[in-house]
């Protein structure tokens, strides 16, 4: 084997090794998230439930099947979706500050939920909506998805007329600001109880998804994430600039529409089922680029999905500190724990800027 071939092989082993490590990390922290919580459950019973058997205690069985396992899977899927969405947008706009919320998709989803919770004319508790609303709690999901879809269609219409990605980014930020302003005015004229319920929703949670909802959430998230992987070659071309991408034969407009559509669907799904969750989408892609030291999206997309799943499950584990009855807001945990880690990795590696040249 020549020296050049040996060197190339060595470079390919590093991202592959990271994928293996991240996969093992997701499995280990996922098991810990399922096993630990306010109620202590023996590991033997946890293992029985995970392989399809029943725990010795029926209460433990219900906790694992109806609460902890769906919550861990929801955190895994939400982390995957948000981190892959952030990676795509940062590449499309060639901007390290781009994230899932920049196009106003999250704000649109929030407006949909605000329409339900603030315009009802009376206080509507979140728990009541989830338990007795349309289709056992589908009302918020439908409203959030509808809000995200409206903004998505607006962004797609604009993208057909605007060819400059930076201009499209600015328009997306402005649409998000307008949407948030409408929600703020709505809150000003709402009752304190309505505002309280809405603010609770904005804190984010991965513990409100039922087993029935999880089937739809997981199916759509996995399919759309697979579609983003099929765009890897186009994303690699966009990272070198639109002129170079066009010379490679990459269709720019279909690629842009594909990125915006898949990102919007993923962000709309997460916001609809879990509420707005920050930090993951903008920070995890930087973390993965620094760790893998590559700009190849064939590695970055699966690594971002695994890293996003690992971090959000870890944040969920911390938010429900074992042995305690209280649960901290997931949004506060993601920023409080994740930000210092990302800052350390970026400063330690010092290779972030090279990935956007």
């Amino acid at each position: 084997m020549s020296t050049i071939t040996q060197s190339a092989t060595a470079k390919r082993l590093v991202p592959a090794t990271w994928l293996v490590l991240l996969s093992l990390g997701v499995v280990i922290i996922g098991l810990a998230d399922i096993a630990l919580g306010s109620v202590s459950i023996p590991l033997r019973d946890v293992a029985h439930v995970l392989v399809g058997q029943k725990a010795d205690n029926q209460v433990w069985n219900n906790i694992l099947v109806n609460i902890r396992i769906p919550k861990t899977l929801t955190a895994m899927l939400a982390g995957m979706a948000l981190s892959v969405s952030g990676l795509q947008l940062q590449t499309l706009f060639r901007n390290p500050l781009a994230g899932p919320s920049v196009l106003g998709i999250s704000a649109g989803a929030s407006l949909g939920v605000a329409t339900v919770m603030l315009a009802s004319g009376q206080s509507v508790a979140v728990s009541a909506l989830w338990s007795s609303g349309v289709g056992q709690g589908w009302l918020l999901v439908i409203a959030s998805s509808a809000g995200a879809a409206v903004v998505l269609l607006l962004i797609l219409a604009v993208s057909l007329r605007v060819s400059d990605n930076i201009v499209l980014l600015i328009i997306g930020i402005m649409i998000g600001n307008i949407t948030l302003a409408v929600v703020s005015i709505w809150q000003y004229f709402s009752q304190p109880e309505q505002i309280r319920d809405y603010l609770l929703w904005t804190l984010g949670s991965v513990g409100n998804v039922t087993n029935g909802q999880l089937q739809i959430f997981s199916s759509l998230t996995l399919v759309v994430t697979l579609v983003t992987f099929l765009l890897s070659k186009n994303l690699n071309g966009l990272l070198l600039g639109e002129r170079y991408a066009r010379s490679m034969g990459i269709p720019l407009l279909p690629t842009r529409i594909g990125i915006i559509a898949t990102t919007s669907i993923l962000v709309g799904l997460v916001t609809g089922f879990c509420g707005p969750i920050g930090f993951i989408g903008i920070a995890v892609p930087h973390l993965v680029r620094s760790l893998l030291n590559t700009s190849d999206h064939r590695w970055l997309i699966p690594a971002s999905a695994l890293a996003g799943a690992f971090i959000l499950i870890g944040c969920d584990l911390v938010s429900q500190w074992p042995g305690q009855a209280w649960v901290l807001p997931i949004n506060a945990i993601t920023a409080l724990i994740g930000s210092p880690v990302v800052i350390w990795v970026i400063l330690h590696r010092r290779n972030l800027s090279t990935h956007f040249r």
Side-chain angles (χ1 to χ4, degrees):
M1 184 181 292
S2 66
T3 303
I4 296 178
T5 305
Q6 289 177 346
S7 176
T9 303
K11 290 180 181 178
R12 288 179 63 86
L13 285 178
V14 175
T17 303
W18 275 113
L19 288 185
V20 173
L21 293 175
L22 288 170
S23 300
L24 291 175
V26 170
V27 172
I28 293 172
I29 202 167
L31 292 175
D33 193 40
I34 293 173
L36 302 177
S38 58
V39 177
S40 179
I41 301 177
L43 290 176
R44 180 173 58 86
D45 291 273
V46 174
H48 285 171
V49 173
L50 288 176
V51 297
Q53 300 177 3
K54 289 191 176 182
D56 294 338
N57 189 312
Q58 184 60 35
V59 175
W60 295 345
N61 194 75
N62 291 335
I63 290 175
L64 292 173
V65 172
N66 297 320
I67 298 177
R68 291 191 184 178
I69 293 177
K71 183 165 61 65
T72 300
L73 293 177
T74 300
M76 182 187 71
L77 293 167
M80 291 172 56
L82 292 175
S83 55
V84 171
S85 299
L87 175 66
Q88 285 198 115
L89 290 180
Q90 288 172 9
T91 300
L92 174 64
F93 297 119
R94 301 184 69 192
N95 188 327
L97 296 180
S101 61
V102 296
L103 289 179
I105 306 301
S106 297
S110 299
L111 178 60
V113 173
T115 303
V116 174
M117 303 180 70
L118 302 181
S120 60
Q122 57 183 355
S123 179
V124 180
V126 178
S127 57
L129 286 172
W130 281 91
S131 61
S132 61
V134 178
Q136 295 182 347
W138 285 97
L139 186 56
L140 289 184
V141 177
I142 294 172
S144 177
S145 301
V150 169
V151 175
L152 163 63
L153 294 176
L154 185 59
I155 295 295
L156 286 177
V158 172
S159 68
L160 295 176
R161 299 177 60 87
V162 177
S163 58
D164 192 329
N165 285 334
I166 299 300
V167 175
L168 183 62
L169 174 63
I170 295 173
I171 292 175
I173 294 174
M174 294 302 105
I175 291 176
N177 288 335
I178 293 172
T179 307
L180 292 176
V182 172
V183 175
S184 298
I185 294 173
W186 218 330
Q187 286 180 285
Y188 181 80
F189 290 103
S190 299
Q191 298 297 321
E193 293 80 6
Q194 295 172 301
I195 297 174
R196 180 202 61 192
D197 294 336
Y198 178 74
L199 290 179
L200 285 175
W201 178 81
T202 61
L203 295 176
S205 173
V206 294
N208 291 326
V209 179
T210 64
N211 283 315
Q213 294 169 338
L214 184 60
Q215 293 180 9
I216 296 178
F217 183 37
S218 59
S219 301
L220 292 175
T221 300
L222 293 175
V223 169
V224 178
T225 301
L226 179 60
V227 173
T228 64
F229 184 76
L230 298 178
L231 293 171
S232 297
K233 180 182 177 182
N234 298 26
L235 288 166
N236 288 340
L238 285 177
L239 202 57
L240 301 174
E242 292 189 356
R243 181 177 299 178
Y244 187 84
R246 191 179 290 109
S247 68
M248 294 173 61
I250 296 175
L252 294 182
L253 183 58
T255 298
R256 179 197 290 184
I257 291 176
I259 292 173
I260 294 174
T262 53
T263 298
S264 301
I265 293 172
L266 290 174
V267 175
L269 283 171
V270 174
T271 309
F273 283 101
C274 309
I277 296 179
F279 167 76
I280 300 294
I282 190 171
V284 170
H286 296 314
L287 182 66
V288 171
R289 288 191 193 93
S290 297
L291 291 176
L292 272 66
N293 196 23
T294 180
S295 299
D296 191 341
H297 287 76
R298 291 173 298 181
W299 294 110
L300 290 179
I301 289 178
S304 295
L306 292 170
F310 177 84
I311 291 177
L312 194 53
I313 293 175
C315 291
D316 179 58
L317 180 61
V318 174
S319 71
Q320 46 159 19
W321 195 254
Q324 302 296 325
W326 40 260
V327 178
L328 295 174
I330 192 76
N331 261 332
I333 301 301
T334 55
L336 191 63
I337 294 180
S339 297
V341 174
V342 173
I343 291 173
W344 180 85
V345 171
I346 291 174
L347 293 179
H348 182 70
R349 295 280 179 166
R350 299 178 183 274
N351 59 354
L352 175 63
S353 59
T354 59
H355 299 295
F356 291 94
R357 291 175 182 171

